[in-house]
Amino acid sequence: MADGAPWIELHLRLSLGTLGLEADLVSERHAVAVVGPSGSGKSTLLRVLAGVERSASGKVQVLGEVWQDSTSGVFRPPWARGVGWVPQDALLFPHLNVSENLAYSGAPRARVREMARLLSVDALLDRRPRRLSGGEQQRVALGRALLAEPRLLLLDEPFSALDRPLRAQVADRVRTEALADEQWLVEDGRLQPL
């Protein structure tokens, strides 16, 4: 990270169909939660950070590095950002079993097994995604993202399919929106601090 640079800095404008979203966020915090009603643009904002949504104009700077700047034409592709992204739909590889999905991160076998144990999917290692519940798929996707040791972890409602006791258990292992250092609200097309 560049000296004196904020952890994350966003100055974005994007269109969400008939709605627009203005996002101006500068934070020194390492765990930032973005909350808001369904359809407000939270998922789209995460897609911009992940580098898979290019429709935003403005600037994205993370860890002192410019990832996107529509003024100067800078656009760092998703694979060069070092982002771990867990979207609402887990996006597991359907032809790979749980163990192979976790190992896709490039982590050693022992770390894959340990992560599976920590996320309570160790009894499911031979199953393919179609034979998993929604909560099990979410935990596998989260494990794969964590095993990749990303520079930035983006979680889009990663525990929505988990029951309450399991949500608390998994949340203990990951810093989530409930444990964020700082919260921002998306409302009426604007991102603002809470």
Side-chain angles (χ1 to χ4, degrees):
M1 185 164 90
D3 287 337
W7 182 258
I8 187 166
E9 184 173 355
L10 307 176
H11 302 287
L12 298 170
R13 307 292 174 267
L14 58 145
S15 177
L16 305 169
T18 59
L19 301 174
L21 176 64
E22 293 182 26
D24 290 299
L25 181 153
V26 179
S27 182
E28 301 291 335
R29 307 297 182 128
H30 291 220
V32 176
V34 176
V35 298
S38 181
S40 63
K42 300 180 305 292
S43 296
T44 303
L45 187 59
L46 293 181
R47 290 173 52 81
V48 169
L49 284 168
V52 297
E53 176 63 60
R54 294 187 70 157
S55 67
S57 62
K59 184 176 181 179
V60 174
Q61 183 171 311
V62 178
L63 306 168
E65 299 173 2
V66 176
W67 287 2
Q68 182 172 333
D69 187 344
S70 56
T71 303
S72 62
V74 171
F75 185 83
R76 182 177 287 191
W79 57 89
R81 293 183 181 206
V83 169
W85 177 42
V86 181
Q88 287 182 32
D89 47 357
L91 297 181
L92 298 177
F93 297 110
H95 62 290
L96 301 179
N97 64 28
V98 168
S99 180
E100 293 163 335
N101 265 283
L102 290 170
Y104 195 81
S105 65
R109 188 174 299 199
R111 286 200 58 235
V112 167
R113 277 194 234 107
E114 176 63 12
M115 183 63 69
R117 186 189 65 72
L118 289 172
L119 296 175
S120 301
V121 294
D122 47 330
L124 310 172
L125 291 174
D126 292 329
R127 286 194 192 172
R128 299 218 186 243
R130 70 179 175 275
R131 295 187 52 227
L132 300 174
S133 71
E136 290 164 346
Q137 289 182 26
Q138 279 186 321
R139 284 180 278 150
V140 173
L142 178 60
R144 183 177 62 195
L146 291 170
L147 285 166
E149 297 180 355
R151 296 167 56 197
L152 180 65
L153 182 62
L154 305 173
L155 306 175
D156 193 352
E157 300 186 27
F159 309 127
S160 60
L162 303 181
D163 60 33
R164 202 172 284 274
L166 191 53
R167 186 179 304 156
Q169 176 186 340
V170 174
D172 278 344
R173 293 175 175 69
V174 181
R175 299 194 84 199
T176 66
E177 49 259 328
L179 302 172
D181 296 329
E182 184 172 293
Q183 289 192 352
W184 289 68
L185 172 68
V186 178
E187 189 174 54
D188 299 326
R190 295 191 60 82
L191 180 66
Q192 53 203 350
L194 274 177

